[in-house]
């Protein structure tokens, strides 16, 4: 079986190649290793190979790992749906939240002395099984309020396209997300720069479409059970 170390190197070289093809600088793309269900041992292997950004889906699981890895240089990204009763832990652990899907959660995350960078998760296909904001109007309404929140910094948008084994099928969703970011910035006089898009299946296409943050699990840590 191929090691985490080696998988990470392979992913990085694929990122570099995709950047070359599309005339982008790899320095402008943040690789987030997605570690839901992944052991601390495997995470440490990735950290030793220079990975810094870690993405977790569940607050409880992240909290345990965070306590274990406190001494290490890790930047934590929350990428999963946040239950209202777990929100209070989030600003203590995470620097980024990619999965803002409603105003209520943002209000709970806006706490003193714990600045959070946030991205808004879009569910443009309106999939019932996924959370996320379903329309541009709803996004704009939330953004208008987010702009005034003292400890919240809106930095961009996130999307998980409908699952497909064919990476090209993600392209229109990525493209649409980039368009919405542009429109939101124009309409609300904002300057959000981040597009969190691209997973193990489709990150090369995401890079071609302007992704600035990739969330990659399986391709680094292996299949999840
Ligand atoms: C699990 C997960 C990922 C990573 O998926 P892989 O296909 O394993 O790379 C990325 N983003 C979110 C929101 C996830 O839940």
């Amino acid at each position: 079986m191929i090691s985490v170390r080696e998988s990470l190197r392979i992913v990085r070289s694929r990122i570099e190649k995709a950047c070359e093809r599309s005339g982008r600088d790899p320095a402008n793309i943040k690789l987030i290793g997605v570690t839901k269900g992944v052991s601390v041992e495997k995470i440490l292997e990735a950290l030793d190979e220079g990975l810094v950004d870690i993405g977790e889906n569940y607050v409880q699981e992240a909290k345990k790992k965070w306590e274990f890895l406190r001494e290490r240089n890790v930047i934590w990204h929350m990428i999963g749906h946040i239950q209202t009763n777990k929100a209070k832990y989030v600003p203590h652990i995470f620097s980024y939240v990619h999965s803002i899907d409603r105003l209520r959660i943002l209000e709970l995350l806006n706490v003193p002395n714990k600045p959070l960078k946030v991205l808004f998760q879009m569910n443009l296909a309106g999939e019932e099984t996924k959370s996320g904001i379903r329309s541009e109007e709803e996004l704009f309404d939330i953004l208008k309020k987010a702009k005034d929140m003292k400890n919240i910094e809106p930095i961009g948008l996130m999307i998980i396209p409908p699952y497909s084994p064919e990476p090209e099928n993600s392209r229109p969703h990525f493209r649409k997300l980039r368009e919405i970011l542009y429109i939101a910035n124009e309409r609300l006089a904002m300057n959000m720069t981040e597009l969190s898009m691209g997973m193990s299946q489709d990150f090369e296409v995401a890079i071609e479409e302007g992704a600035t943050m990739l969330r990659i699990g399986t391709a680094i840590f292996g299949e999840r059970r």
Side-chain angles (χ1 to χ4, degrees), residues 21-166:
R21 280 202 302 278
S22 45
R24 298 196 53 197
D25 181 352
N28 296 331
I29 296 175
K30 204 191 281 293
L31 171 59
I32 300 164
V34 173
T35 51
K36 56 175 172 259
V38 173
S39 68
V40 169
E41 288 70 28
K42 281 191 172 182
I43 298 176
L44 282 167
E45 209 179 318
L47 297 181
D48 288 342
E49 189 59 35
L51 189 71
V52 173
D53 293 275
I54 293 291
E56 283 282 343
N57 288 66
Y58 306 100
V59 173
Q60 222 63 353
E61 183 181 341
K63 199 161 168 284
K64 283 195 200 121
K65 290 174 179 169
W66 175 77
E67 276 158 12
F68 217 88
L69 296 168
R70 277 186 107 134
E71 308 297 314
R72 304 289 302 233
N73 173 31
V74 178
I75 297 173
W76 295 89
H77 297 251
M78 178 62 189
I79 63 172
H81 179 73
I82 303 171
Q83 289 174 288
T84 310
N85 63 348
K86 302 277 166 43
K88 60 176 179 288
Y89 303 110
V90 169
H92 296 272
I93 301 172
F94 297 95
S95 306
Y96 294 81
V97 176
H98 294 232
S99 45
I100 300 297
D101 55 3
R102 60 205 193 280
L103 181 61
R104 178 78 189 119
I105 209 70
L106 210 50
E107 289 167 344
L108 294 172
L109 297 179
N110 181 26
V111 297
N113 305 319
K114 296 281 174 194
L116 261 187
K117 294 184 187 336
V118 304
L119 298 90
F120 298 81
Q121 179 176 356
M122 299 303 289
N123 182 1
L124 299 170
E127 288 180 284
E128 291 297 337
T129 53
K130 285 180 190 145
S131 49
I133 299 163
R134 300 204 179 182
S135 73
E136 292 174 37
E137 290 309 320
E138 194 185 338
L139 170 68
F140 299 155
D141 284 345
I142 300 176
L143 280 175
K144 275 177 207 153
K145 304 210 168 79
K147 278 175 75 176
D148 296 329
M149 293 185 185
K150 204 160 172 242
N151 305 286
I152 298 290
E153 184 187 350
I155 60 167
L157 304 178
M158 183 270 247
I159 197 165
I160 311 168
Y163 175 79
S164 163
E166 172 48 65

